[in-house]
Amino acid sequence: MGANILRRAMRAGIPGAGFDRDAAAVATLAAEGAQGAESLEALVAALPAPRTVWVMLPAGEATEAALRELHALLSPGDVLIEGGNSFWKDSARRAAEARAHGLHYLDIGTSGGVWGLERGYCLMIGGEPGVVASLDALFAALAPGEAAAPPTPGREGDPRPPRGYVHCGPNGAGHYAKMVHNGIEYGMMQAMAEGLDLLRRAPAPLDFALEDVTEAWRRGSVVASWLLDLTAQALAQDPALSSYSGHVGDSGEGRWTVDTAVENGVPVPVLAASLFARFRSRGEENFADKALSAMRKGFGGHLESPQAPGGGSGGLA
């Protein structure tokens, strides 16, 4: 996602540089017109002040280490953007740490997965209003734009949400919104997967071709969605989803959503059940779990086997 964010910005005429621990990934970006960097220090040196550096790493120590290094390399007035799926309380703390170095910090929940380069990214932004406004051209370039969905009748006000990005509030708000977004995603995926399993196990003489049912549902059904599109594509290629084991991973957001709901006394039975279903999937196999795995691979490129964390950051001038 980090590389494609840089690519989409460059397509809009916003120049930038990129760094990743994988030198081949940097070389690919350089061949496409970005300035390649062999280190974070070189990345910062390649950007004119005031700099904007977008960090796109897995939540946890990888992000913490990159931010600590950037604190020492950047200059007062530069902007740090953290676009990974981090816990919102960590983002609020990181913003205070950045301010202590004279830096601005934005936490941006970023949705779009492996398709974001072409479809655009939905951005949920937390941070200072003036800093957010100063980077509006970047966010407009990354977002899908108004043509991605029909206008909402009667809507007035902030023109940014109809274009696919929203300033959610102070630091932490962007990642809080993304946390809830992903919790909802868990519930939607679980409902669709369980329904497909029920169709697949229908009693004789009923015998549904799931690839045909889902294809029909894509047109006019109230459950039509991008998740359904991805599911229909997977079923068209492999109606039995035989290439999936049904071992469904979770990358943290579902757990944080349920934990936050408990902290605040908010009932979220569907979201909690969908999280627990993912835990159960690691001990037994069924078709619903295979459908979940197919959806996760479709929108985010998530594979069933654990993957090593990446190491990319991008800078935008």
Side-chain angles (χ1 to χ4, degrees), residues 20 94 117 122 154 175 189 225 241 250 254 258 281-282:
D20 191 279
R94 290 166 180 164
L117 177 59
C122 178
H175 279 149
M189 292 170 65
S225 63
L241 301 180
D250 71 284
V258 174
S281 76
R282 296 158 205 177

Side-chain angles (χ1 to χ4, degrees), residues 104-128:
H104 302 291
Y105 181 94
L106 300 180
D107 51 287
I108 301 185
T110 307
S111 183
V114 296
W115 299 93
L117 177 59
E118 301 302 330
R119 292 172 59 101
Y121 298 93
C122 178
L123 305 174
M124 293 148 269
I125 307 167
E128 304 162 75

Side-chain angles (χ1 to χ4, degrees), residues 3-38:
N4 282 344
I5 285 170
L6 180 54
R7 288 185 176 102
R8 189 167 172 94
M10 291 192 302
R11 286 183 180 183
I14 300 172
F19 164 67
D20 191 279
R21 293 186 306 186
D22 182 354
V26 176
T28 298
L29 282 172
E32 296 174 20
Q35 186 166 347
E38 70 277 5

